[in-house]
Amino acid sequence: MCLWHFAKRYFQRLSEAPGEGGSLGRSLKASLISLLVILSLSAPLSLSADDDVILVFGDSLSTAYGFERDKAWPALLDQQLAENGLDYRVVNTSRSGETTGGGLRRLPDTLEEHEPAITLIQLGGNDGLRGQPPQRIKSNLREMITLAEQADSEVVLIGIRIPPNYGRAYAERFEQIYPALAEEHDIELIPFLLEGIWDKEGMMQDDGIHPSAAAQPKILELVWDMLEDSVK
């Protein structure tokens, strides 16, 4: 149970308990109210404890890099779920600069904390940009998929491509990682997160790597097409 829900439950019990009307009881209640306010301001995108979690576990392509967080596709996905009256909420634990190695190290604790019903793994791009061996990238992603599956979480793997200047042979080996793992684990695959986006005017930032705020609804469409059947 997260700290926010623990504090809320404790406050409810304190309020219902007899003999707590003294100064100590009032002081405890006041402190707990302050704690609840602080925690609510720092909570994930949604605070509905009864909703199943969709975990977005990625890199800067999922972190609102270069624009406001509420315009990023994970935030738009959370809004779409709410508008459709679906009992899911999005928890976005993506980190700018994250690699598959870093993701593998922190995924166990993330799964334990959030207990996601669905896990979207969007990693590998930074490994590719650093020229990491495709076999190592594939191994790290495989371990993350296995960890999520062992936690009874449905996995959606999100692929990415790297610029052609890294060499055709390397780019092809890299791109093959995602469909191979999807077939191996029999999981859903979004082959390329920036499909129909990367070569369109206004859809990419000046660095040519990160999608712009204008591209986020397009990315949402791509993700929603894959997720819709699973969440309805």
Side-chain angles (χ1 to χ4, degrees):
M1 180 184 299
C2 72
L3 182 57
W4 192 90
H5 294 300
F6 174 82
K8 183 178 179 182
R9 180 174 295 183
Y10 187 80
F11 175 74
Q12 289 171 339
R13 289 178 178 175
L14 183 62
S15 299
E16 294 166 358
E20 293 293 350
S23 58
L24 178 58
R26 288 193 297 271
S27 177
L28 280 171
K29 290 178 183 179
S31 298
L32 280 170
I33 289 171
S34 299
L35 177 61
L36 285 169
V37 170
I38 293 170
L39 290 174
S40 67
L41 292 174
S42 61
L45 292 173
S46 173
L47 290 175
S48 178
D50 296 329
D51 289 350
D52 287 330
V53 168
I54 296 177
L55 176 67
V56 179
F57 195 76
D59 53 32
S60 57
L61 299 181
S62 302
T63 61
Y65 182 91
F67 50 87
E68 295 85 354
R69 186 177 178 84
D70 62 356
K71 293 182 179 178
W73 71 263
L76 299 180
L77 175 60
D78 195 59
Q79 295 172 21
Q80 179 115 338
L81 292 164
E83 289 169 1
N84 283 272
L86 299 170
D87 295 331
Y88 287 88
R89 63 187 175 93
V90 174
V91 173
N92 185 8
T93 63
S94 302
R95 288 183 179 178
S96 182
E98 185 68 287
T99 62
T100 58
L104 180 57
R105 285 189 292 273
R106 68 185 179 93
L107 183 58
D109 288 343
T110 303
L111 291 170
E112 182 177 358
E113 179 181 358
H114 298 293
E115 299 180 347
I118 301 173
T119 300
L120 278 60
I121 299 177
Q122 181 272 298
L123 287 171
N126 288 309
D127 300 70
L129 292 175
R130 298 174 188 181
Q132 295 297 316
Q135 197 56 39
R136 182 188 302 168
I137 302 170
K138 186 176 182 180
S139 177
N140 288 340
L141 286 170
R142 178 187 289 115
E143 289 191 56
M144 282 188 276
I145 293 167
T146 300
L147 285 169
E149 291 178 330
Q150 289 174 345
D152 295 323
S153 184
E154 179 183 343
V155 179
V156 176
L157 185 61
I158 301 177
I160 193 64
R161 297 173 189 165
I162 59 171
N165 57 300
Y166 282 77
R168 181 175 179 180
Y170 181 85
E172 288 180 351
R173 288 175 62 204
F174 178 88
E175 190 173 338
Q176 291 168 2
I177 291 171
Y178 299 96
L181 286 172
E183 182 177 359
E184 178 182 320
H185 288 265
D186 192 22
I187 59 176
E188 299 289 353
L189 171 69
I190 297 174
F192 183 32
L193 184 65
L194 303 180
E195 187 67 56
I197 293 171
W198 69 275
D199 58 347
K200 297 294 190 297
E201 184 178 354
M203 292 293 171
M204 300 296 291
Q205 298 185 43
D206 291 341
D207 61 10
I209 295 175
H210 296 95
S212 65
Q216 301 305 302
K218 295 290 186 182
I219 297 176
L220 172 63
E221 289 179 12
L222 193 66
V223 175
W224 183 252
D225 285 345
M226 180 61 66
L227 278 181
E228 187 173 9
D229 289 342
S230 295
V231 299
K232 285 189 173 181

